[in-house]
Amino acid sequence: MDFATLLGNVQRRPGAYGLDGSYREFVAFVNGCDARQDWLLLNGFREWLAERLGRGANLVWWELVRQICLAEWGSAAGEPEDTALSARMFELLGEFLAAKRPERRPYPSSG
């Protein structure tokens, strides 16, 4: 199973992966997947987000996702809801993985 498929499954059924569906747990899960791949899975994601936002890449990727949401929805709307933030995170990850497609490696199954 590739990472994009795994992410889709996790987003649709977080409980099946032991997650409560919160942004915090989704971020932890994605970071765990990245660690499992020797930090190569999201290689360039932080920089890609920073470029999209038009700011330096000195923030962690999950904060850049939050900043993108604030910029897109307007800071007057307040802090984005957890579900909306999670949905946007999955969208951005999907866009990044699609752009990175030639380099994608399958996500290894446990074993």
Side-chain angles (χ1 to χ4, degrees):
M1 172 183 331
D2 69 10
F3 185 53
T5 303
L6 176 63
L7 284 179
N9 292 341
V10 168
Q11 184 180 15
R12 279 187 299 281
R13 298 184 57 218
Y17 294 86
L19 306 175
D20 66 8
S22 68
Y23 183 64
R24 180 180 178 171
E25 287 203 4
F26 284 138
V27 166
F29 182 85
V30 171
N31 277 335
C33 292
D34 195 25
R36 172 75 167 91
Q37 289 285 314
D38 295 323
W39 307 106
L40 297 174
L41 196 59
L42 298 180
N43 189 26
F45 185 52
R46 184 172 48 94
E47 294 81 5
W48 183 83
L49 290 169
E51 183 178 318
R52 184 182 193 110
L53 187 60
R55 296 191 190 151
N58 60 338
L59 297 172
V60 292
W61 68 263
W62 55 90
E63 177 60 22
L64 287 167
V65 168
R66 194 181 74 76
Q67 292 292 321
I68 287 171
C69 288
L70 287 171
E72 290 174 349
W73 300 329
S75 57
E79 197 66 29
E81 289 184 25
D82 205 58
T83 54
L85 190 56
S86 297
R88 189 64 178 124
M89 177 199 73
F90 282 110
E91 289 171 6
L92 290 166
L93 280 165
E95 289 175 33
F96 173 74
L97 293 172
K100 190 179 169 179
R101 191 168 310 262
E103 300 174 30
R104 273 185 25 199
R105 298 175 7 190
Y107 188 78
S109 54
S110 60

